[in-house]
Structures are given as structure tokens and as C-alpha cells.
Amino acid sequence: MRPILMKGHERPLTFLKYNRDGDLLFSCAKDHTPTVWFADNGERLGTYRGHNGAVWCCDVSRDSSRLITGSADQTAMLWDVQTGTQLHTFTFDSPARSVDFSVGDKLAVITTDPFMGLTSAIHVKRISKDPSEHVCLFCLCADILVVEIVPEISESVLVLKGPQGRINRAVWGPLNKTIISAGEDAVIRIWDAETGKILKESDKEIGHKKGITSLQKSVDGSHFITGSLDKSAKLWDIRTLTLIKNYTTERPVNAVTMSPLLNHVVLGGGQDASAVTTTDHRAGKFEAKFYDKILTEEIGGVKGHFGPINALAFNPDGKSFASGGEDGYVRLHHFDQDYFNIKI
């Protein structure tokens, strides 16, 4: 399995996301410029220029027409995937950390960091079907439509507050009825997306002991996996928040993903970025570790990065995966046939 090395970012990677068809890969990094690549050969297709800070997260709509990005410049931006034009900018009073489109792409959940006395928050925003139409109407008769159109997409439908510390990830639950959040306080919360009430919280006894860095849903939306600085990943039922499985490793986990094809879980991490320069890359444990989802046993690893792995994503067809590291590289791995014949 020879990886394809994709060098398009000047700073560490923060997030990777495939589109639903699996032919495009979107990458976010601390260099302000989200990038889109062809997922089969790693060729760079284009960039999305407009942010003035590190881009922490992105999501792409079901039809691959819209991209949303969250950045440290206190904005979340909506882009046209094909042309790279900015369709709308959501502005906040603190950095935007996580973004996620709802089923149907009409809503987006965006989390903001604690900042200058403000607490962290989860915002639900309405995404207009075609913001470009608003822009045209806006040009034709600005006097009338400033009032009508701009608030429609800018105002929050719902704002959730409460968790202490940063919320690193918030995603939609089944049928957009709930929002699942996790972050620095190591507690997973399920919120009612209509009322904003907390429905469930993870048990401190069985839950993570340190901050949760990543959260990923399964393809069928029945369960999700979380990775934490406590050197473990946990598999949870998305409706009942029951702990299903626990995966332990010997390094802090920065990124988690699940295979849509086989019962495999991939964990990525490494020690803190500040300690990287004093470590030989062989000793820093910078590999992506594969685990059997059911038996929780380690089945293999993919080496290559020269720093901690910050982002992982599986292609929806299950035949390749991508990893993004502190070293600024995206590594694209297409599996050999042997991988699909692994027996434990």
C-alpha cells in the first residue's frame, strides 16, 4: 500500500472530509485555506480563499454543491464547491470550532469557543437553499430586501450554552431531532434540537477521563465513536448513549474514524505538538492504528507521518482512507486486496 503524499498546506492539518460520492476530499489546516483534492489520485482541484485564521472544521452538502467551514477568525463560511465563491459568512464573537450540515442540508450546527469572557456555545443556523438568488434579488432592489433576506440566513435558530471549556465537536443526531456534542470537559451531551434541553449526558464513571478531541458517526447513524486525550476511543449508541466498546492505546487520540465497509476502527494521534521536535518519528507513535470494531483488538498500523495525526477520514466506499498530520501533509492510502482478507 503506497500512500499518495498531498502537499498543499503550509501548516498542520486540522480536519478531513470526503463528499458523499467519495470522489472529492476536503482538507482544512491552520494556514487559512481549505483545499479540495481528487480522492483517487490526490491531485489538487482548488482552494477556498477568504478566511483570516486557522480553519478548524468543514462539512460538505449531500449533493456536493455547498461547503461550510469554521475558522479561528470568528466566522463560518458557506462556499460554492464548484466555483470557490463565498456564498455567505456567519460572524460570531469567538472562534468557530465545529460545523455540521443537517440531513437535508437546510440547517447547520456550528460551535464557538470560549473567548474573552464568553462561554462556548452551539449555534443552529438556517442554510438558505440558494444564497446566490438572495444576492441577485438583493442587487435588484436593495431597499426592500435588506430586511427580508439577510436575517433569514444569519440569525441563529437556536443557541445552546452550558458546557464548560471548549466544545470540540457537535453533530446532528438521527432525523435532526438531536444534537450530540463533546469537548474539553470530557462529557458527551445529547441535546433536543427543538427546545435546546439536555436529554442525556455520558456517565463520568464509564466516560472519558480527559478532553474529547474527535467524534465521528457511523454510516447508518446508529452509533458514533469518540477519541480522547485519555488515550482511548469509545463507541456509543447514538440514541441511548450506552457505551458499546472501548479501545485503548498508548498515546493521546486526536482523530477517529470507522470503516463503512468492514468492522474496523482507525485511531490517530501522538504526543502533544510541543514535544514533537524532541522525538524521533519512530518513537513518537505517529501511526494510524487499526482496531477490530467488535473484538477491540489491534489489527495493524499505517506509519508515515512525522508528527501527530490530527485528522482521519474513510472514503465512503471503504477502499481508501486519508490522514492529515501536524507535518502539513495529507496522506492518501488506497488499500491492497490483502486488507479485505484480514482474518483474526
Side-chain angles (χ1 to χ4, degrees):
M1 185 171 70
R2 285 179 64 85
I4 299 169
L5 245 68
M6 294 142 68
K7 182 65 176 163
H9 291 287
E10 299 165 7
R11 298 283 314 281
L13 270 288
T14 55
F15 199 79
L16 292 170
K17 178 79 180 181
Y18 281 94
N19 67 339
R20 181 168 154 264
D21 299 328
D23 59 340
L24 298 176
L25 174 63
F26 297 86
S27 61
C28 300
K30 294 182 182 177
D31 63 1
H32 312 181
T33 313
T35 301
V36 59
W37 316 76
F38 282 118
D40 59 343
N41 60 6
E43 185 184 331
R44 184 158 67 164
L45 184 56
T47 56
Y48 300 89
R49 297 186 179 274
H51 280 299
N52 293 317
V55 182
W56 295 119
C57 194
C58 71
D59 195 16
V60 60
S61 62
R62 186 178 169 88
D63 62 0
S64 302
S65 66
R66 301 278 178 266
L67 177 73
I68 189 169
T69 54
S71 169
D73 65 7
Q74 304 187 356
T75 66
M77 286 186 180
L78 192 66
W79 310 81
D80 184 302
V81 168
Q82 197 170 356
T83 63
T85 52
Q86 290 176 36
L87 300 175
H88 190 78
T89 303
F90 300 100
T91 52
F92 301 97
D93 297 321
S94 58
R97 175 70 50 173
S98 166
V99 291
D100 192 52
F101 277 124
S102 64
V103 175
D105 302 324
K106 289 198 167 66
L107 297 169
V109 62
I110 304 167
T111 69
T112 53
D113 289 353
F115 185 71
M116 300 284 282
L118 293 167
T119 58
S120 56
I122 302 168
H123 306 259
V124 177
K125 296 283 189 186
R126 185 164 278 114
I127 303 290
S128 172
K129 184 68 185 152
D130 189 359
S132 60
E133 285 177 13
H134 295 331
V135 177
C136 299
L137 291 165
F138 184 76
C139 305
L140 292 170
C141 43
D143 297 345
I144 310 162
L145 291 174
V146 167
V147 182
E148 281 182 41
I149 298 301
V150 178
E152 183 197 1
I153 197 168
S154 291
E155 286 176 6
S156 293
V157 181
L158 186 68
V159 180
L160 312 174
K161 292 184 179 176
Q164 296 299 308
R166 200 167 68 210
I167 304 167
N168 286 327
R169 197 86 177 93
V171 297
W172 291 95
L175 301 173
N176 301 340
K177 291 187 184 301
T178 55
I179 293 167
I180 298 133
S181 71
E184 280 185 340
D185 64 358
V187 179
I188 301 163
R189 293 178 177 84
I190 297 182
W191 309 74
D192 187 303
E194 296 247 338
T195 64
K197 290 194 172 74
I198 294 178
L199 301 176
K200 288 185 173 64
E201 288 190 351
S202 59
D203 191 331
K204 284 198 165 59
E205 291 299 312
I206 60 167
H208 287 292
K209 302 295 182 273
K210 289 185 179 176
I212 296 167
T213 53
S214 53
L215 185 155
Q216 167 112 27
K217 287 191 293 185
S218 64
V219 179
D220 63 1
S222 66
H223 55 283
F224 65 95
I225 189 168
T226 54
S228 168
L229 299 174
D230 66 5
K231 303 180 181 177
S232 76
K234 294 178 189 286
L235 200 68
W236 308 83
D237 184 283
I238 206 161
R239 289 181 172 84
T240 62
L241 206 55
T242 310
L243 180 64
I244 304 170
K245 296 287 177 184
N246 189 38
Y247 310 92
T248 51
T249 176
E250 66 281 353
R251 78 214 61 179
V253 179
N254 298 339
V256 288
T257 188
M258 289 182 282
S259 169
L261 195 62
L262 303 174
N263 282 322
H264 291 171
V265 166
V266 188
L267 312 184
Q271 85 272 57
D272 195 70
S274 58
V276 169
T277 50
T278 59
T279 314
D280 176 13
H281 74 92
R282 290 186 299 272
K285 305 184 174 72
F286 304 138
E287 66 207 288
K289 288 270 182 109
F290 282 69
Y291 286 78
D292 186 280
K293 192 194 236 177
I294 313 299
L295 304 176
T296 71
E297 290 174 13
E298 189 182 324
I299 52 177
V302 178
K303 292 187 171 70
H305 283 286
F306 287 90
I309 293 173
N310 294 337
L312 285 170
F314 245 102
N315 192 306
D317 68 5
K319 295 178 180 175
S320 62
F321 86 104
S323 58
E326 195 75 20
D327 54 8
Y329 282 98
V330 180
R331 296 174 74 92
L332 184 61
H333 309 83
H334 290 277
F335 294 118
D336 299 330
Q337 190 53 45
D338 299 349
Y339 166 78
F340 302 100
N341 302 327
I342 292 175
K343 296 280 188 291
I344 296 186

